[in-house]
Amino acid sequence: MNQKDKFIIIDANAVLHRAWHALPPLETESGQVVNAVYGFISVIIKILREFKPNYMAACFDMPGPTFRHKEFKEYKAGREKQPDEFYEQIPITQGVLKDFDIQVLGLSGYEADDLIGFLSHKVDGGLEKIIVTGDMDALQLVDKSTWVYNLKKGISETEIFDEAAVFERYGFKPEQLIDYKALRGDPSDNIPGIRGIGKKTATQLIQQFSSLEVLYQQVEQGEVEGVSQRIRQMLLDQKDQAFLSKKLATIVLDVPLDFNLENFKTKKLDVDKISVKFSQLGFKSLLKRLDDVVGIKQEKLI
């Protein structure tokens, strides 16, 4: 990492889900389950210590359908609903984020990914933007000044993706992940792709033609070297499905929100306020970890 100012953008729902599944049940004295909150804040403290960001935002999915559901009603169909104990931790997490003076964003009709895309493209390359997530969808946003800090396993193992790391993993550029999903589909989001085309074929087609549009320009003109007649016919028969899949997979970069970078500037932590909240939640071990972030003695935190 270089010495540019850093803007941390958190995919809040993705990190919460990782924490929920990674950590055993944890309850407050009143019986409120808070394991996802604990894991989420553990990640926040780690991020503060590791990157010392100048700006931060946490983006949340909102209840209800998005514009993608209007395009394709089966979008994300079949996703397992989590127990109520998980969803009850979302407002608690948002409250703790406010105690940290971290901006919380959510917008009906859009996903957190879209807000992340909006923020990352509102800020020029003078800032280093680091997207914190447990979801590989954000890799399409990687560019020369945008990285993805991925929770690789649970919340303890992480990996950082820059442009070179994305290419090493997939064999093509970050923005081409959209075209790849248009062909391969994405079972986790129920994006259909082209039936009969798997990972290997989708990768080969993207490497050969660079984009869905160029691929169709070629196959619609006739037989193409390197594309079997069987694959060509699949593409022709499922063209509408391919372009719908690309639209569903594309993170939008323009959402109806005002933007002022100064609103996301990090502030000196109010340790007293955070200490009260952590004590209420029973997070004494997290209180101790704040020592590395704020540089004060642990005795004052407990």
Side-chain angles (χ1 to χ4, degrees):
M1 289 288 181
N2 56 34
Q3 298 304 310
K4 287 184 180 180
D5 284 353
K6 295 177 175 59
F7 188 178
I8 297 289
I9 308 171
I10 304 161
D11 185 352
N13 288 78
V15 176
L16 275 170
H17 273 97
R18 282 299 181 100
W20 167 255
H21 291 292
L23 299 178
L26 175 66
E27 295 183 358
T28 64
E29 291 183 357
S30 64
Q32 172 71 54
V33 178
V34 289
N35 65 324
V37 184
Y38 182 92
F40 186 97
I41 301 305
S42 296
V43 172
I44 294 296
I45 292 174
K46 182 179 180 181
I47 290 295
L48 290 170
R49 184 175 64 244
E50 187 170 343
F51 295 109
K52 298 178 177 58
N54 308 88
Y55 306 89
M56 291 188 75
C59 301
F60 284 83
D61 292 325
M62 299 295 285
T66 68
F67 70 91
R68 292 181 179 86
H69 293 91
K70 294 177 182 178
E71 293 283 344
F72 183 57
K73 65 180 181 180
E74 290 85 10
Y75 179 67
K76 290 193 174 181
R79 276 205 173 184
E80 182 181 355
K81 188 176 185 299
Q82 301 300 322
D84 291 342
E85 287 83 1
F86 169 76
Y87 298 103
E88 289 167 358
Q89 295 186 64
I90 293 176
I92 300 173
T93 303
Q94 292 172 336
V96 178
L97 285 167
K98 290 177 182 176
D99 289 337
F100 274 78
D101 282 318
I102 296 173
Q103 286 289 317
V104 172
L105 293 183
L107 184 63
S108 295
Y110 293 86
E111 297 181 55
D113 282 347
D114 301 314
L115 303 181
I116 293 167
F118 168 76
L119 292 176
S120 67
H121 278 70
K122 277 291 184 181
V123 179
D124 63 27
L127 280 182
E128 189 170 81
K129 296 152 284 183
I130 303 166
I131 300 167
V132 180
T133 185
D135 187 341
M136 303 294 265
D137 289 346
L139 291 182
Q140 65 181 262
L141 299 172
V142 169
D143 58 30
K144 294 187 184 304
S145 64
T146 307
W147 304 48
V148 165
Y149 183 88
N150 184 57
L151 304 179
K152 183 178 179 181
K153 184 178 181 181
I155 58 172
S156 58
E157 294 185 27
T158 60
E159 56 188 343
I160 292 180
F161 284 92
D162 60 4
E163 290 178 310
V166 173
F167 189 87
E168 183 178 351
R169 169 71 68 91
Y170 293 98
F172 43 74
K173 297 177 182 179
E175 62 269 21
Q176 292 175 304
L177 280 162
I178 306 167
D179 301 276
Y180 172 79
K181 285 190 177 185
L183 297 170
R184 170 69 180 92
D186 185 349
S188 66
D189 288 337
N190 203 36
I191 295 175
I194 301 284
R195 289 187 307 277
I197 290 184
K199 294 180 181 179
K200 183 178 179 181
T201 301
T203 299
Q204 291 173 340
L205 290 171
I206 296 305
Q207 290 173 336
Q208 182 175 351
F209 297 97
S210 78
S211 73
L212 194 68
E213 289 76 11
V214 172
L215 170 61
Y216 271 95
Q217 285 174 5
Q218 296 293 316
V219 298
E220 287 180 334
Q221 290 177 8
E223 294 185 9
V224 179
E225 184 178 352
V227 179
S228 70
Q229 184 56 39
R230 184 180 70 89
I231 296 297
R232 178 174 179 269
Q233 197 59 51
M234 284 181 185
L235 291 167
L236 294 174
D237 291 344
Q238 301 179 62
K239 179 181 178 180
D240 289 346
Q241 189 164 295
F243 280 93
L244 170 63
S245 296
K246 180 166 183 173
K247 188 172 185 179
L248 295 173
T250 301
I251 294 174
V252 303
L253 307 178
D254 186 19
V255 300
L257 285 176
D258 294 328
F259 177 79
N260 183 343
L261 181 61
E262 288 303 305
N263 292 337
F264 301 94
K265 194 170 184 62
T266 53
K267 302 180 177 108
K268 183 178 179 181
L269 295 180
D270 187 334
V271 176
D272 291 335
K273 181 168 63 174
I274 295 171
S275 296
V276 170
K277 180 62 68 66
F278 279 12
S279 295
Q280 292 171 347
L281 295 170
F283 292 171
K284 287 189 176 181
S285 62
L286 292 187
L287 283 171
K288 295 176 181 178
R289 292 186 205 175
L290 278 177
D291 180 45
D292 291 335
V293 177
V294 299
I296 63 177
K297 292 183 179 180
Q298 294 174 3
E299 306 81 273
K300 294 182 180 180
L301 297 174
I302 302 174

